[in-house]
Amino acid sequence: MDKKLVIPGDFLSDDAKQADEGTYVENGKVFSSVFGIASLKDHIRVVPLSGKYIPRAGDMVIGVIKEIAFSNWIVDIRSPYEGLLHISEFPRRIESSDMPKYLNIGDSIMTLVRDVDANMKVELTLNDQRLRPVKEGRVIEVTPSKVPRLIGRGGSMIAMLKNETGCNIFIGQNGRVWITGKDKGMDLAARAILKIERETHISGLTDRITKFLKEEKGGKPKEKEPEKEEQEKKEPEPAEQEEKMEDEKESLPAEEEKTAENKPGGILDELLGNDK
């Protein structure tokens, strides 16, 4: 079995060389350091099922400008630690007094963690062609620990999402996801991403998401409720009701005439004075 649920302190392997994220080594043995899903194939790593994002140098994240200080934008990166974007890390030369014109409080940015020191001072940068302010589309949030599953092995899950929804999707390591495209596609992508987050611990996830996307795109009709179907069977169609009423109208005079013939006496008897 390649994956299993573990808690901190669970023994994982005797091979210390295989230890990766979410593990620690003691006496040459590998143990889990977090509560999560352990992957035992190739390297041993544990993906936590919950927890805050802990920044590392080289991470691409989506941040939100929280405050503007002298020569620094203070950025919320969904972490216990704030990110600092220095004015020198902006793609063009600007003055401190002009900072709000380019990035103001509440603006979102796709940024890169340039450095994290021993005191957890997180330095960000926008000096890269891939990085930019987020001015269109929508941003949704997932649990940061679910990001690897959302990306998929070799990028398989995110590639499938892009292909099926026709959207561009960027997944920040801090769990913020930037989606751009047509409204219908963005709605579908957002629902699929949140479904992945909810069901990431259940096997067969890729097949379920593929089926979900195809059904949503295909507009599969909903099945009728049993009670409604039974009622429709009992009640005739309007056309049938009208036809039935016409038949009843046509048969009514014949029945009345037949009744009049069988009735004793009648108008002729009255005129002849035979009505006694």
Side-chain angles (χ1 to χ4, degrees):
M1 188 175 181
D2 292 338
K3 294 182 180 180
K4 65 177 182 178
L5 184 67
V6 296
I7 62 174
D10 275 0
F11 169 76
L12 299 175
S13 174
D14 287 315
D15 189 354
K17 294 180 180 179
Q18 289 189 325
D20 206 331
E21 296 178 29
T23 68
Y24 67 92
V25 177
E26 188 175 298
N27 298 325
K29 297 181 179 181
V30 184
F31 300 88
S32 172
S33 62
V34 296
F35 168 66
I37 303 295
S39 176
L40 308 178
K41 190 174 182 180
D42 299 328
H43 291 282
I44 298 172
R45 63 194 299 264
V46 181
V47 178
L49 290 178
S50 62
K52 291 284 187 178
Y53 163 66
I54 304 300
R56 297 182 305 173
D59 284 353
M60 290 184 69
V61 300
I62 295 177
V64 179
I65 306 300
K66 182 179 177 182
E67 189 178 339
I68 302 176
F70 180 73
S71 74
N72 275 297
W73 285 280
I74 299 174
V75 186
D76 166 27
I77 54 173
R78 293 193 77 202
S79 170
Y81 314 100
E82 295 174 333
L84 298 176
L85 177 62
H86 192 266
I87 193 172
S88 63
E89 295 299 328
F90 196 77
R92 59 181 294 182
R93 184 181 179 84
I94 61 174
E95 300 295 328
S96 296
S97 57
D98 292 332
M99 288 172 65
K101 294 180 182 178
Y102 294 91
L103 290 175
N104 209 346
I105 295 172
D107 288 350
S108 297
I109 55 173
M110 188 166 77
T111 182
L112 180 74
V113 178
R114 190 174 69 85
D115 186 51
V116 181
D117 67 14
N119 296 317
M120 294 306 295
K121 178 184 177 183
V122 184
E123 297 181 11
L124 307 174
T125 184
L126 285 178
N127 280 323
D128 189 300
Q129 290 184 347
R130 298 170 297 172
L131 310 176
R132 68 199 70 181
V134 176
K135 294 184 177 180
E136 59 183 353
R138 65 185 68 173
V139 175
I140 64 173
E141 295 184 351
V142 298
T143 305
S145 62
K146 307 294 180 68
V147 166
R149 195 66 187 93
L150 188 55
I151 295 172
R153 184 173 297 176
S156 57
M157 183 70 83
I158 187 61
M160 185 262 288
L161 285 174
K162 289 179 179 179
N163 183 57
E164 294 292 338
T165 63
C167 294
N168 289 319
I169 305 172
F170 169 76
I171 304 173
Q173 290 296 323
N174 60 340
R176 285 198 177 111
V177 184
W178 180 23
I179 309 170
T180 57
K182 295 182 179 179
D183 287 341
K184 189 174 180 180
M186 288 192 293
D187 287 340
L188 180 56
R191 294 203 308 275
I193 288 168
L194 295 177
K195 182 178 177 66
I196 293 170
E197 181 189 24
R198 290 192 306 269
E199 302 179 12
T200 185
H201 60 289
I202 305 173
S203 61
L205 179 62
T206 302
D207 290 339
R208 288 200 310 280
I209 296 302
T210 301
K211 181 180 179 183
F212 167 79
L213 289 170
K214 292 191 180 299
E215 286 181 351
E216 291 296 311
K217 286 171 63 180
K220 185 179 178 181
K222 295 182 179 179
E223 295 182 1
K224 293 181 179 180
E225 296 176 5
E227 291 183 3
K228 192 172 182 181
E229 281 189 347
E230 193 65 29
Q231 187 177 3
E232 288 178 354
K233 287 179 182 177
K234 290 180 180 179
E235 293 181 1
E237 295 293 327
E240 292 178 358
Q241 289 180 338
E242 290 179 5
E243 187 177 346
K244 186 176 180 181
M245 290 176 66
E246 289 296 328
D247 291 342
E248 288 177 353
K249 287 179 181 178
E250 289 177 3
S251 62
L252 186 59
E255 290 178 0
E256 287 180 349
E257 185 177 348
K258 186 176 180 182
T259 303
E261 288 176 358
N262 295 336
K263 184 179 178 181
I267 296 175
L268 184 60
D269 288 338
E270 284 184 20
L271 291 174
L272 295 176
N274 295 331
D275 186 19
K276 292 183 183 179

